[in-house]
Amino acid sequence: MAVRAVRGAVQLERDEAGHMREQVEELLTAVLERNGLTTDDLISIWFTATPDLHSDFPAAAARHIGIVDVPLICAQELDIEGAMPRVVRLLAHVETELPKSRIAHVYLGAAAALRKDIAQ
């Protein structure tokens, strides 16, 4: 079984805890589904949030949907002038039989503009 990295991002409409949870849950669910993964395949997940997001930790959404025995960490994204606001990104390390070329990186909504080269 290989270890692979899966990228993802979502842009929030507003900085509210419930909205963040909903959007991050949707992102995590899409990453798992599009790559045929279960929570047992997860090794770790690194979340970043842009500096304008203060309402909650993105990792709280993972815990809310049952990802409880996977190491999670949250960090602040670089504050770059002109960067897309209200974005949560993730980098998940997973065990999978998929080759690198078949990994589905998930960029939801407006966040698809961040990585047009790999967004699914």
Side-chain angles (χ1 to χ4, degrees):
M1 185 91 44
V3 174
R4 302 283 186 228
V6 184
R7 293 282 315 269
V10 63
Q11 183 184 39
L12 306 184
E13 294 174 18
R14 59 195 174 278
D15 183 23
E16 294 176 1
H19 179 62
M20 179 182 289
R21 183 175 58 241
E22 175 185 283
Q23 294 298 299
V24 174
E25 286 176 5
E26 182 179 345
L27 177 61
L28 286 165
T29 300
V31 164
L32 294 173
E33 288 177 356
R34 293 182 193 181
N35 288 286
L37 302 168
T38 68
T39 57
D40 287 338
D41 299 318
L42 295 171
I43 297 169
S44 64
I45 306 174
W46 182 284
F47 294 95
T48 65
T50 51
D52 52 1
L53 295 175
H54 310 279
S55 62
D56 204 357
F57 295 99
R63 299 291 186 225
H64 188 255
I65 62 170
I67 301 173
V68 296
D69 61 352
V70 175
L72 307 174
I73 193 165
C74 297
Q76 185 172 314
E77 189 70 32
L78 293 173
D79 190 9
I80 304 298
E81 188 175 326
M84 183 180 289
R86 301 177 316 280
V87 175
V88 174
R89 293 171 172 84
L90 70 77
L91 174 64
H93 298 95
V94 303
E95 291 181 315
T96 181
E97 296 292 339
L98 291 174
K100 287 180 187 178
S101 62
R102 299 257 333 270
I103 295 294
H105 303 284
V106 179
Y107 289 79
L108 299 179
L114 295 170
R115 289 298 307 264
K116 293 178 184 178
D117 58 324
I118 64 172
Q120 301 289 319

